[in-house]
Amino acid sequence: MATTQYETHEHDVIIIGAGGAGLRAAVEAAAQGVSVGLICKSLLGKAHTVMAEGGIAAAMGNVYPEDNWRVHFRDTMRGGKMLNNWRMAQIHAQESPERVLELERWGALFDRTKDGRILQRDFGGHRYARLAHVGDRTGLEMIRTLQYHAIHQTIDVYMECTITRLLKDGERVCGAFGYWRNTGKFVVFKAKAIVLATGGMGKCWKFCTNSWEGTGDGVTLALDAGAELIDMECYQFHPTGMVWPVSVRGILVTEGVRGDGGTLKNSKGERFMFKYIPEFFKAETADTEAEADRWYEDKKNNRRTPDLLPRDEVARAINSEVKAGRGSPHGGVFLDIASRRPADYIRKRLPSMCHQFKELADVDITKEPMEVGPTAHYMNGGVRVDADTAGTAVPGLFAAGEVAGGLHGANRLGGNSLSDLVVFGRRAGLYAALYVKNLGGTVTVDAGQLEACAREALAPLERPGGENPYAIQTELQETMQALVGIIRTESELREAVVRIEQYKQRLQKVGVTGGREYNPGWHTALDLYALLTVSEAVARAALDRKESRGGHTRDDHPKPDPKLGAVNVVVRRRQGEMATALEAIPAMPADLKGLFEEKK
Amino acid sequence: MPTFTVRVFRGTAKGGDFQDYRVESDEGMVLLDVVHRVQATQANDLAVRWNCKAGKCGSCSAEVNGKPRLMCMTRMNLFQPDETITIAPIRTFPLIRDLVTDVSYNYEKAKQIPPLRLKPPEPDGTYRMMQDDIDRAQEFHKCIECFLCQTVCHVVRDHEENKKAFAGPRYFIKIAGLEMHPLDTLNRTPFYRDAAGVGLCNITKCCTEVCPEHIHITDNGIIPLKERMADEVDPIVWLLRKFRGGRKEPA
């Protein structure tokens, strides 16, 4: 039995990734009484969820009783330019309030309303103040709450362990192969079901909000195991990242700044968003500064400020202003809350932002405007899943959170990611456990697959004079930034595909020294395969969507095309090659369709 | 651009030494950027733990010129050009390699803390909490688990033997946060007196000084726990405190 050659752990369900989705999945699977292993690429509690700032969207109606799941559903679909999987958007809107209350029962302390309930704040694209939050560190509260809840359940946690391949038993998944960062030794996880909760792929770009972990691992694992990807071209560029100093360029500046009264201005001091209100949102967006300002206090009689249009619209507008020469000194625009809200209010509502700008840029945001610009932020697409069960096309393989596609369509609304994590994390854990219970029998791990995994992982160490992995990573990031950024054209996308092909060739010659113990050079070499795979998937999918929609903007096809609005670009691996196809999105039932017609 | 010498510890538990690297720093860089530049250009295998590079995940703790701090929040303009900057791994935990240590002590201590025991909900099935009553616990929830307070705490810094029955400042504020949580009904005094060893702290406030989140660990967390421990001889006092919920203690 080959598995005895490597350290082997056996579970009913393993969960790869320990951010919000992975932790919530683990808690749910454990509650079903199956054996659960939770694998973290970093230490527990350090996953990227910790960086989420603004809040978790849930139509609880604590601030505006008019809010309900139908309004949230409609906002989510419209924000996603109707490319969303309607059923996921429905489940998400219906279940997120209960998931927030559950976090509270597990110890989370959200900011309160005057009558002691959970306070909710305004965010882009949400009709009502809907984001439960803790100042601007909501993700930290969420991951700590889940982390401290999870460690008291029956869950085995494996920290600083990177999975490089999923193992298959025929069509089904049967486990995963990986290495311990500390020792570099290999480890095998045998499992009947696997939940992918690995987050996104921001590290493909030069300027991004993501930590080193966001290398597209889960998408790559799923694709290679036979699953399908959707909407990869609709990657989200968050409109407001820091732009200066260069070393912190890309770090997130929460949309909560605008939710709490901040406004975008160009170098002439104009609130330029009023010039960029698209037809699609005209009816619900304020067209004067006076109305926009009144809206913060009175949402019934005023329309929403264009500063809080969905992220794709705001990112494109900032891009246009900078291109037209009306940018800030370091190539962004100004985000001003200092002149609009009292210093005490800013410090109370946005403590992390105050700290971040003071420490990293010497800017006091209670006194001066911030400089901000678009930054690669979030994978709107991802692994195609069944809306109800989070199951992929591969039996036994589930996916939840950022790694899964469908909920957000072409553009995600702020606040909908944290709710996505807990709503679909729970479902993935539940249905993975139920799948295991129905499966019976055992799964067999094939020795040949393990040997191939080991050979592949060791290869860079056997080429000590080979190419520096960091050099390929840097070049890829520059290529993606330049050619597969916010605004795209056919020729540049084709050039990107050619270059990615060259990097793939160079990856075969990459070499590292320094042995296997906690060797970041080796880890980077191994992460490159996933980075290149997901970059290629984005570029190829972007070529196929010959229109502009949500996070995907084509300079050569600047308008939306209704025909393409009815399809997903689906990416598969066929005989080793990446293949794309246009496939119809699921049709929305008539009762839900009605929600869009009556509001026109 | 100014050039610095960074003197970085290289080695494992078996042994090692400091090694000097000459490296340029661009405007606005933080120390973690400089370490990454060394890693990308001169020492691909230089082990350093990091995640967010924005002071939110608490992964990149190290001892910089002898002071425990986050490398991602250490601006290079803090140093003189041509200055030699010494970077060592945090001392209180076993070394794995270079700047990476084995912090599992902390995760073991975390697991020992009795979790929230929830009181019954309001008639409508939900809970009410007033902002004033959660302000203090929210302060403790800001903790990013960088373990700088743990590494600087002299109870365990050079006293391996104390680790068994001492949870450390990070977990004292975790416990304090639970004790002050308005929905909690559990008495953890015996736990933090015996298993967590709060009595060993003699309030030198080293933990508070290094906290990158500026949490008042000693004044707002540890001292109230010590006071409760003293009050504990009188169960009526404890009951009253629980009944009053998470009211702020005088700082």
Side-chain angles (χ1 to χ4, degrees), chain A residues 43 46, chain B residues 6-10 18 30-36 46-51 57-74 78-79 85-93 95 97-103 144-153 157 209-212:
Chain A
L43 295 172
K46 308 296 184 192
Chain B
V6 283
R7 182 165 291 168
V8 186
F9 181 83
R10 300 298 313 269
F18 286 89
V30 293
L31 187 57
L32 185 60
D33 292 315
V34 167
V35 169
H36 280 157
L46 169 58
V48 54
R49 198 183 258 136
W50 71 286
N51 281 67
C57 77
S59 300
C60 63
S61 303
E63 307 208 352
V64 181
N65 290 341
K67 192 184 173 205
R69 52 192 309 156
L70 293 176
M71 286 187 278
C72 73
M73 297 305 275
T74 303
L78 205 73
F79 307 102
I85 305 158
T86 305
I87 314 175
I90 51 176
R91 184 162 99 194
T92 308
F93 307 112
L95 183 65
R97 182 178 179 180
D98 303 341
L99 300 177
V100 177
T101 59
D102 175 359
V103 293
I144 59 173
E145 299 201 332
C146 62
F147 308 131
L148 289 177
C149 59
Q150 302 286 85
T151 192
V152 82
C153 176
R157 187 166 170 88
E209 276 170 34
V210 296
C211 178

Side-chain angles (χ1 to χ4, degrees), chain A residues 42 44 46 51 109 111-112 116 137 141 148 160 211-213 247 356 360 468 514 517 519-521, chain B residues 28 33 40 44-46 49-53 56-57 75 97 107 113 129 131 138 141 144-145 181:
Chain A
S42 287
L44 184 64
K46 308 296 184 192
M51 304 266 308
L109 290 170
D111 289 349
R112 317 307 297 179
R137 52 167 195 84
E141 185 73 10
Y148 278 86
E160 295 200 309
S211 78
W212 68 272
E213 293 183 286
S247 73
Q356 177 175 315
L360 296 175
N468 180 347
E517 280 177 62
N519 183 344
Chain B
D33 292 315
N44 285 181
D45 62 340
L46 169 58
R49 198 183 258 136
W50 71 286
N51 281 67
C52 75
K53 209 174 89 68
K56 293 193 171 75
C57 77
R75 294 276 300 271
R97 182 178 179 180
Y107 288 93
I113 300 171
M129 288 182 264
Q131 186 64 44
Q138 279 188 329
H141 284 211
I144 59 173
E145 299 201 332
H181 196 299

